[in-house]
Amino acid sequence: MALLPLSAFAQADPNAELVGAPDDFLAGADAAAGDLTLTAPEIAENGNTVPISVDAPGAVEVRVYALGNPTPGVATFRFGPLAGSQAASTRIRLAGTQDVQAIAKMADGSYQTAMKTVKVTIGGCGG
Amino acid sequence: MASGVKPRVKAPKKASAGEVVTIKTLISHKMESGQRKDSSGNVIPRSIINRFTCDFNGENVIDVVLAPAISTNPYFEFDATIPEAGDLKFTWYDDDGDVYEETKSVAVG
């Protein structure tokens, strides 16, 4: 992350900080398996668009990490008062076969985690 | 990179009060990750959308921080509660300072 120019974030909202790494988010807390579900394909032919979805009933924030990418952070989902469910889907890039991890911060301050291994046939980070 | 950016949103035009509706959004954007190199070996600078938010009548539905690992043409699907008639407002924030907005009205009845 240190390699990114600071100006890249100059326009961003102060609340919109980086996704960071799992350890930054957990800050020493433990994450256990719970209701959090991470859905990702077992085999992705193309690492450029891998569909994933997270479902974390009772979560206020869910972060997704691709542990084998040059920078692990993928996305942070924060659910507002009008969120119909604590679930979201998107498409991500994976540099190669690796583990994708989701960590949810629950309303009571505890953490839950889920991990999924995705096999990638063609890498998605310019390789 | 502000050319050819086009937000698309699929949201219902009508809902019953308190209903949970599914919303799909897609914005055309190349999401240059800052990891790739051009033919002469120079790193292509990062240019991505770094934040996406959805609000309904000023109340937040979802707020997403995007990293370069989000695919080209970022797509999001999520659920929103529609308590009353109003406007869904979608906002995308580009690295270059551009802000793209889209509004969809939802009627209740």
Side-chain angles (χ1 to χ4, degrees), chain A residues 10-79:
Chain A
Q11 303 292 336
D13 185 279
N15 296 322
E17 85 277 20
L18 291 166
V19 185
D23 291 345
D24 303 338
F25 185 40
L26 287 170
D30 280 329
D35 295 333
L36 169 66
T37 328
L38 169 68
T39 312
E42 244 168 66
I43 299 174
E45 266 181 35
N46 184 349
N48 272 315
T49 52
V50 182
I52 60 141
S53 50
V54 291
D55 188 358
V60 289
E61 184 173 335
V62 178
R63 296 195 186 193
V64 180
Y65 302 97
L67 302 177
N69 272 4
T71 52
V74 173
T76 301
F77 299 95
R78 288 194 188 86
F79 300 102

Side-chain angles (χ1 to χ4, degrees), chain B residues 63-101:
Chain B
D63 186 337
V64 186
V65 180
L66 287 74
I70 297 287
S71 299
T72 306
N73 303 336
Y75 163 85
F76 291 105
E77 181 179 338
F78 53 92
D79 296 329
T81 308
I82 305 295
E84 74 242 339
D87 291 330
L88 281 162
K89 189 173 172 218
F90 305 88
T91 317
W92 291 262
Y93 299 84
D94 198 312
D95 264 353
D96 65 12
D98 282 347
V99 174
Y100 316 108
E101 288 181 350

Side-chain angles (χ1 to χ4, degrees), chain B:
Chain B
M1 147 80 195
S3 61
V5 176
K6 188 173 177 232
R8 294 183 187 85
V9 173
K10 196 173 178 192
K13 291 188 173 63
K14 257 180 114 174
S16 49
E19 190 183 340
V20 173
V21 299
T22 299
I23 295 163
K24 295 176 184 181
T25 72
L26 186 123
I27 185 162
S28 47
H29 192 287
K30 63 181 177 177
M31 294 292 280
E32 191 57 63
S33 70
Q35 302 280 350
R36 297 197 310 152
K37 292 186 173 128
D38 64 18
S39 51
S40 48
N42 303 312
V43 171
I44 306 171
R46 168 184 141 144
S47 170
I48 67 164
I49 288 175
N50 55 47
R51 186 168 176 234
F52 164 70
T53 62
C54 172
D55 297 279
F56 183 77
N57 286 354
E59 268 215 89
N60 185 246
V61 175
I62 195 167
D63 186 337
V64 186
V65 180
L66 287 74
I70 297 287
S71 299
T72 306
N73 303 336
Y75 163 85
F76 291 105
E77 181 179 338
F78 53 92
D79 296 329
T81 308
I82 305 295
E84 74 242 339
D87 291 330
L88 281 162
K89 189 173 172 218
F90 305 88
T91 317
W92 291 262
Y93 299 84
D94 198 312
D95 264 353
D96 65 12
D98 282 347
V99 174
Y100 316 108
E101 288 181 350
E102 178 83 355
T103 306
K104 292 274 176 192
S105 297
V106 183
V108 161

